[in-house]
Amino acid sequence: MSLMPNLNYGNLKDSYLFFGISKKVEAYRAAHPDKPIYRLGIGDVSRPLCDCAIRAMHEAVEDQAKAGTFHGYTPECGLPEFRQAVAGYYARRGIRLDAEEIFVSSGASDELGDILDLFDASSAALVTQPAYPAYVDASIIAGRKVNFLNAGPENDFLPLPGADTAAELIYLCSPNNPTGAVYSLEQLQTWVDWANERGAVILFDAAYEAFVEGELPHSIFETKGAESCAIEICSFSKTAGFTGTRLGYTVIPKALEREGMNLNAMWVRNRTTKTNGISYILQKGGIAVFTDEGLRQIQENIQFYKQNARVIMEALDGAGVRYWGGKNAPYVWMACPKGMKSWDFFDLLLNEVQVVGTPGEGFGASGEGFFRLSSFGSAEDTKIAADRIRSLVLGI
Ligand code: PLP
C-alpha cells in the first residue's frame, strides 16, 4: 500500500468565497472594459508601513551587513527585546505579562493552525459563526470536530455560551471579522468564567484589537481568570499594515495548564522544534511599532480607515439599512436589503453600480442575508462606492 495522505483534507469544503468573487469580477470586467470597479471587498490594507517601522527595518538590514552587528538565528520564541516591547504594549492597558508569555510569530493565520498542536484532536472546537474561515479549515485539517454557535441580529453578532453549550476549544474573534462586532468586558468575562468552569480553552483572535476605541476590551487578558483558560493570537497585519511583511505574536500564560501539562512550556518545545525563529529585521520593525512614535504613526493609518468606515456607515444610514461594526473594526456588516440573499446582492451591486463587497454566506451559513463592506480601500473609491450603494438601495 502506498503512503496514506491526511484524509481530513477530503473533509474540507471548497473555499468558493474569494475565488467566486474574483471570477465574477473578471467576467464583468471583460464584458464592460470601460466601467471602473469600486472595491469594498478587500480584507487587505492599502496604506504603506509607518516611517518608524521602515527606518528600524532599514537599520536592521545595515546591522546584517557588518560583522560587528550581524545576527544569525534569533531565539525561536522571539528576541528578548521584541517580547519585552509587546509586554510593554500590554502594560499600557494595565495587563501584566511576563515577556516569556509572549511568542513571536509570522502572523495570526500561521498560529491559528499551528497552535492546534497543543491539543488532542479528539477535543471538539466551537466556532462562532459567521467566522473567519481559517478556524474551521485548520480544525478540520487537524481532524477535529467543529461545532458552531450562531451569531445574528438577536445577539448583536456577539453570542454567549448557554447552559447546554459544549466545547473544549473555543475560537473567539473580537473585533470580529466579518461582523465588526466587539465583545464588552462583561461578555468576555462570561466566556472566561464558562471556560474556567469546564476546563475549556479559548483561542482569542485579537487581529483587529488596534481598532478598538473607548472602554471596550482589546485583550481577553483584561478579564479576571483568563490566564488559566485563554491563548491570545495577535498580528501586526491590520495593526501596522504588515500583511505583506508578516509578523505577529501569541500570548500563552504560564498559568495555563491542562492534565498537569503546562501549555506555555509545550509551546516553547513546539517552537524550538518546528521553527528557527523569525527574521531579525522584521522583529526590529515590530519593536519600532510599539514605541510611542510608532503607536502614534500607526494610528494615523487606522484613523484613515476609520474615516472610510464612517463614510460607508453614513451612506447606509442614509439608505435606512441596518448594519453592525464599523466603529471599532475596519468592517461594516450590513443586512442585505429586502431580505435578499448575499450572493444576489453581490450580483446586483456589481452589475448595477460596479461595487464589489463580500457576501456574508461565504463566512458560514449564518452569514446568509448579510454583506461585508471593508474600509481598507482608498478614500476616493470608498466615497464613490458608498454613494452608489446608497442610491441603489434607495431605488430598490
Ligand atoms: N484573524 C482574522 C480575524 C483575520 O481577519 C486575519 C486576516 O485577515 C487573520 C487572522 C490573519 O492575519 P495575518 O495576516 O496575521 O495572518
mmCIF file of all heavy atoms in Angstrom, residues 83-111:
data_model
loop_
_atom_site.group_PDB
_atom_site.id
_atom_site.type_symbol
_atom_site.label_atom_id
_atom_site.label_comp_id
_atom_site.label_asym_id
_atom_site.label_seq_id
_atom_site.Cartn_x
_atom_site.Cartn_y
_atom_site.Cartn_z
ATOM 1 N N ARG A 83 9.949 40.609 22.775
ATOM 2 C CA ARG A 83 8.980 40.107 23.766
ATOM 3 C C ARG A 83 8.721 41.184 24.824
ATOM 4 O O ARG A 83 7.599 41.379 25.275
ATOM 5 C CB ARG A 83 9.513 38.818 24.392
ATOM 6 C CG ARG A 83 9.772 37.749 23.336
ATOM 7 C CD ARG A 83 10.423 36.509 23.898
ATOM 8 N NE ARG A 83 9.447 35.496 24.284
ATOM 9 C CZ ARG A 83 9.767 34.332 24.848
ATOM 10 N NH1 ARG A 83 11.036 34.040 25.090
ATOM 11 N NH2 ARG A 83 8.831 33.461 25.164
ATOM 12 N N GLN A 84 9.791 41.912 25.173
ATOM 13 C CA GLN A 84 9.651 42.996 26.149
ATOM 14 C C GLN A 84 8.796 44.139 25.580
ATOM 15 O O GLN A 84 7.966 44.715 26.284
ATOM 16 C CB GLN A 84 11.062 43.527 26.493
ATOM 17 C CG GLN A 84 11.190 44.138 27.856
ATOM 18 C CD GLN A 84 10.765 43.181 28.979
ATOM 19 O OE1 GLN A 84 11.359 42.127 29.130
ATOM 20 N NE2 GLN A 84 9.728 43.555 29.726
ATOM 21 N N ALA A 85 8.990 44.442 24.294
ATOM 22 C CA ALA A 85 8.214 45.527 23.668
ATOM 23 C C ALA A 85 6.726 45.175 23.662
ATOM 24 O O ALA A 85 5.864 46.025 23.922
ATOM 25 C CB ALA A 85 8.701 45.772 22.241
ATOM 26 N N VAL A 86 6.393 43.912 23.390
ATOM 27 C CA VAL A 86 4.980 43.508 23.392
ATOM 28 C C VAL A 86 4.440 43.567 24.824
ATOM 29 O O VAL A 86 3.322 44.060 25.056
ATOM 30 C CB VAL A 86 4.795 42.096 22.784
ATOM 31 C CG1 VAL A 86 3.321 41.688 22.825
ATOM 32 C CG2 VAL A 86 5.317 42.053 21.345
ATOM 33 N N ALA A 87 5.246 43.105 25.785
ATOM 34 C CA ALA A 87 4.797 43.168 27.188
ATOM 35 C C ALA A 87 4.527 44.623 27.568
ATOM 36 O O ALA A 87 3.550 44.931 28.270
ATOM 37 C CB ALA A 87 5.854 42.552 28.110
ATOM 38 N N GLY A 88 5.376 45.537 27.077
ATOM 39 C CA GLY A 88 5.186 46.968 27.356
ATOM 40 C C GLY A 88 3.897 47.494 26.735
ATOM 41 O O GLY A 88 3.195 48.327 27.322
ATOM 42 N N TYR A 89 3.552 46.976 25.568
ATOM 43 C CA TYR A 89 2.307 47.387 24.889
ATOM 44 C C TYR A 89 1.101 46.972 25.739
ATOM 45 O O TYR A 89 0.157 47.740 25.923
ATOM 46 C CB TYR A 89 2.280 46.728 23.505
ATOM 47 C CG TYR A 89 1.083 47.057 22.653
ATOM 48 C CD1 TYR A 89 0.776 48.370 22.318
ATOM 49 C CD2 TYR A 89 0.259 46.045 22.158
ATOM 50 C CE1 TYR A 89 -0.333 48.660 21.508
ATOM 51 C CE2 TYR A 89 -0.833 46.328 21.352
ATOM 52 C CZ TYR A 89 -1.130 47.642 21.034
ATOM 53 O OH TYR A 89 -2.213 47.920 20.245
ATOM 54 N N TYR A 90 1.138 45.753 26.270
ATOM 55 C CA TYR A 90 0.045 45.293 27.147
ATOM 56 C C TYR A 90 0.013 46.104 28.449
ATOM 57 O O TYR A 90 -1.057 46.421 28.971
ATOM 58 C CB TYR A 90 0.197 43.805 27.463
ATOM 59 C CG TYR A 90 -0.378 42.897 26.394
ATOM 60 C CD1 TYR A 90 0.378 42.518 25.289
ATOM 61 C CD2 TYR A 90 -1.676 42.425 26.485
ATOM 62 C CE1 TYR A 90 -0.154 41.694 24.306
ATOM 63 C CE2 TYR A 90 -2.228 41.594 25.508
ATOM 64 C CZ TYR A 90 -1.456 41.240 24.420
ATOM 65 O OH TYR A 90 -1.994 40.435 23.443
ATOM 66 N N ALA A 91 1.210 46.426 28.968
ATOM 67 C CA ALA A 91 1.275 47.144 30.245
ATOM 68 C C ALA A 91 0.603 48.512 30.140
ATOM 69 O O ALA A 91 0.059 49.022 31.121
ATOM 70 C CB ALA A 91 2.737 47.298 30.676
ATOM 71 N N ARG A 92 0.591 49.105 28.943
ATOM 72 C CA ARG A 92 -0.081 50.397 28.755
ATOM 73 C C ARG A 92 -1.558 50.297 29.114
ATOM 74 O O ARG A 92 -2.194 51.283 29.430
ATOM 75 C CB ARG A 92 0.010 50.851 27.288
ATOM 76 C CG ARG A 92 1.378 51.337 26.880
ATOM 77 C CD ARG A 92 1.432 51.507 25.360
ATOM 78 N NE ARG A 92 2.765 51.911 24.969
ATOM 79 C CZ ARG A 92 3.116 53.159 24.679
ATOM 80 N NH1 ARG A 92 2.229 54.123 24.707
ATOM 81 N NH2 ARG A 92 4.357 53.435 24.353
ATOM 82 N N ARG A 93 -2.134 49.108 28.978
ATOM 83 C CA ARG A 93 -3.553 48.939 29.322
ATOM 84 C C ARG A 93 -3.717 48.212 30.646
ATOM 85 O O ARG A 93 -4.784 47.686 30.963
ATOM 86 C CB ARG A 93 -4.268 48.163 28.209
ATOM 87 C CG ARG A 93 -4.427 48.953 26.923
ATOM 88 C CD ARG A 93 -5.461 48.330 26.007
ATOM 89 N NE ARG A 93 -5.110 46.970 25.641
ATOM 90 C CZ ARG A 93 -4.290 46.658 24.639
ATOM 91 N NH1 ARG A 93 -3.763 47.614 23.903
ATOM 92 N NH2 ARG A 93 -4.001 45.411 24.371
ATOM 93 N N GLY A 94 -2.620 48.176 31.427
ATOM 94 C CA GLY A 94 -2.701 47.600 32.767
ATOM 95 C C GLY A 94 -2.639 46.081 32.790
ATOM 96 O O GLY A 94 -2.940 45.468 33.810
ATOM 97 N N ILE A 95 -2.251 45.442 31.686
ATOM 98 C CA ILE A 95 -2.146 43.975 31.678
ATOM 99 C C ILE A 95 -0.686 43.610 31.915
ATOM 100 O O ILE A 95 0.194 43.997 31.141
ATOM 101 C CB ILE A 95 -2.618 43.390 30.326
ATOM 102 C CG1 ILE A 95 -4.069 43.782 30.068
ATOM 103 C CG2 ILE A 95 -2.452 41.880 30.302
ATOM 104 C CD1 ILE A 95 -4.540 43.472 28.655
ATOM 105 N N ARG A 96 -0.458 42.857 32.976
ATOM 106 C CA ARG A 96 0.925 42.498 33.309
ATOM 107 C C ARG A 96 1.241 41.118 32.755
ATOM 108 O O ARG A 96 0.643 40.130 33.148
ATOM 109 C CB ARG A 96 1.109 42.497 34.826
ATOM 110 C CG ARG A 96 1.031 43.902 35.418
ATOM 111 C CD ARG A 96 0.814 43.780 36.891
ATOM 112 N NE ARG A 96 2.001 43.171 37.478
ATOM 113 C CZ ARG A 96 2.782 43.809 38.325
ATOM 114 N NH1 ARG A 96 2.512 45.034 38.684
ATOM 115 N NH2 ARG A 96 3.833 43.216 38.843
ATOM 116 N N LEU A 97 2.151 41.092 31.803
ATOM 117 C CA LEU A 97 2.576 39.811 31.229
ATOM 118 C C LEU A 97 4.080 39.678 31.424
ATOM 119 O O LEU A 97 4.819 40.666 31.340
ATOM 120 C CB LEU A 97 2.290 39.765 29.721
ATOM 121 C CG LEU A 97 0.836 39.767 29.251
ATOM 122 C CD1 LEU A 97 0.785 39.786 27.729
ATOM 123 C CD2 LEU A 97 0.095 38.544 29.787
ATOM 124 N N ASP A 98 4.518 38.464 31.667
ATOM 125 C CA ASP A 98 5.934 38.176 31.676
ATOM 126 C C ASP A 98 6.370 38.085 30.206
ATOM 127 O O ASP A 98 5.629 37.527 29.379
ATOM 128 C CB ASP A 98 6.094 36.819 32.364
ATOM 129 C CG ASP A 98 7.525 36.458 32.632
ATOM 130 O OD1 ASP A 98 8.359 36.591 31.685
ATOM 131 O OD2 ASP A 98 7.801 36.034 33.742
ATOM 132 N N ALA A 99 7.536 38.626 29.872
ATOM 133 C CA ALA A 99 7.977 38.586 28.461
ATOM 134 C C ALA A 99 7.991 37.143 27.936
ATOM 135 O O ALA A 99 7.776 36.898 26.744
ATOM 136 C CB ALA A 99 9.350 39.222 28.322
ATOM 137 N N GLU A 100 8.215 36.172 28.837
ATOM 138 C CA GLU A 100 8.263 34.765 28.383
ATOM 139 C C GLU A 100 6.878 34.185 28.089
ATOM 140 O O GLU A 100 6.761 33.039 27.653
ATOM 141 C CB GLU A 100 8.993 33.907 29.422
ATOM 142 C CG GLU A 100 10.466 34.243 29.464
ATOM 143 C CD GLU A 100 11.213 33.438 30.485
ATOM 144 O OE1 GLU A 100 10.583 32.626 31.203
ATOM 145 O OE2 GLU A 100 12.438 33.631 30.585
ATOM 146 N N GLU A 101 5.843 34.980 28.342
ATOM 147 C CA GLU A 101 4.492 34.540 27.978
ATOM 148 C C GLU A 101 4.142 34.988 26.550
ATOM 149 O O GLU A 101 3.061 34.700 26.056
ATOM 150 C CB GLU A 101 3.475 35.094 28.980
ATOM 151 C CG GLU A 101 3.705 34.514 30.379
ATOM 152 C CD GLU A 101 2.749 35.033 31.426
ATOM 153 O OE1 GLU A 101 2.655 36.260 31.598
ATOM 154 O OE2 GLU A 101 2.107 34.208 32.099
ATOM 155 N N ILE A 102 5.080 35.712 25.918
ATOM 156 C CA ILE A 102 4.848 36.243 24.567
ATOM 157 C C ILE A 102 5.755 35.505 23.581
ATOM 158 O O ILE A 102 6.961 35.371 23.820
ATOM 159 C CB ILE A 102 5.149 37.753 24.558
ATOM 160 C CG1 ILE A 102 4.120 38.461 25.436
ATOM 161 C CG2 ILE A 102 5.146 38.313 23.142
ATOM 162 C CD1 ILE A 102 4.600 39.738 26.024
ATOM 163 N N PHE A 103 5.169 35.059 22.503
ATOM 164 C CA PHE A 103 5.908 34.316 21.472
ATOM 165 C C PHE A 103 5.780 35.056 20.150
ATOM 166 O O PHE A 103 4.664 35.397 19.736
ATOM 167 C CB PHE A 103 5.327 32.911 21.304
ATOM 168 C CG PHE A 103 5.473 32.044 22.526
ATOM 169 C CD1 PHE A 103 4.549 32.137 23.565
ATOM 170 C CD2 PHE A 103 6.520 31.146 22.652
ATOM 171 C CE1 PHE A 103 4.672 31.349 24.695
ATOM 172 C CE2 PHE A 103 6.653 30.356 23.779
ATOM 173 C CZ PHE A 103 5.724 30.447 24.810
ATOM 174 N N VAL A 104 6.896 35.286 19.484
ATOM 175 C CA VAL A 104 6.829 35.926 18.170
ATOM 176 C C VAL A 104 6.262 34.925 17.161
ATOM 177 O O VAL A 104 6.406 33.709 17.337
ATOM 178 C CB VAL A 104 8.238 36.413 17.740
ATOM 179 C CG1 VAL A 104 9.142 35.232 17.384
ATOM 180 C CG2 VAL A 104 8.153 37.380 16.562
ATOM 181 N N SER A 105 5.601 35.455 16.123
ATOM 182 C CA SER A 105 5.095 34.563 15.064
ATOM 183 C C SER A 105 5.195 35.281 13.729
ATOM 184 O O SER A 105 5.435 36.490 13.690
ATOM 185 C CB SER A 105 3.631 34.178 15.333
ATOM 186 O OG SER A 105 2.772 35.235 14.960
ATOM 187 N N SER A 106 4.948 34.543 12.655
ATOM 188 C CA SER A 106 4.942 35.235 11.359
ATOM 189 C C SER A 106 3.527 35.594 10.946
ATOM 190 O O SER A 106 3.248 35.808 9.774
ATOM 191 C CB SER A 106 5.671 34.425 10.294
ATOM 192 O OG SER A 106 5.266 33.107 10.344
ATOM 193 N N GLY A 107 2.619 35.697 11.887
ATOM 194 C CA GLY A 107 1.278 36.176 11.587
ATOM 195 C C GLY A 107 0.229 35.297 12.244
ATOM 196 O O GLY A 107 0.510 34.164 12.660
ATOM 197 N N ALA A 108 -0.974 35.842 12.321
ATOM 198 C CA ALA A 108 -2.036 35.147 13.034
ATOM 199 C C ALA A 108 -2.495 33.890 12.299
ATOM 200 O O ALA A 108 -2.817 32.883 12.928
ATOM 201 C CB ALA A 108 -3.217 36.090 13.243
ATOM 202 N N SER A 109 -2.525 33.932 10.962
ATOM 203 C CA SER A 109 -3.015 32.756 10.230
ATOM 204 C C SER A 109 -2.175 31.527 10.532
ATOM 205 O O SER A 109 -2.710 30.445 10.785
ATOM 206 C CB SER A 109 -2.969 33.005 8.725
ATOM 207 O OG SER A 109 -4.077 33.736 8.337
ATOM 208 N N ASP A 110 -0.860 31.713 10.511
ATOM 209 C CA ASP A 110 0.035 30.589 10.792
ATOM 210 C C ASP A 110 -0.267 30.012 12.173
ATOM 211 O O ASP A 110 -0.372 28.803 12.371
ATOM 212 C CB ASP A 110 1.509 31.037 10.762
ATOM 213 C CG ASP A 110 1.851 31.856 9.538
ATOM 214 O OD1 ASP A 110 1.087 32.784 9.202
ATOM 215 O OD2 ASP A 110 2.891 31.583 8.915
ATOM 216 N N GLU A 111 -0.420 30.928 13.141
ATOM 217 C CA GLU A 111 -0.612 30.487 14.519
ATOM 218 C C GLU A 111 -1.943 29.776 14.725
ATOM 219 O O GLU A 111 -2.038 28.825 15.493
ATOM 220 C CB GLU A 111 -0.559 31.701 15.460
ATOM 221 C CG GLU A 111 0.777 32.352 15.542
ATOM 222 C CD GLU A 111 1.808 31.521 16.280
ATOM 223 O OE1 GLU A 111 1.905 31.611 17.509
ATOM 224 O OE2 GLU A 111 2.551 30.790 15.589
#
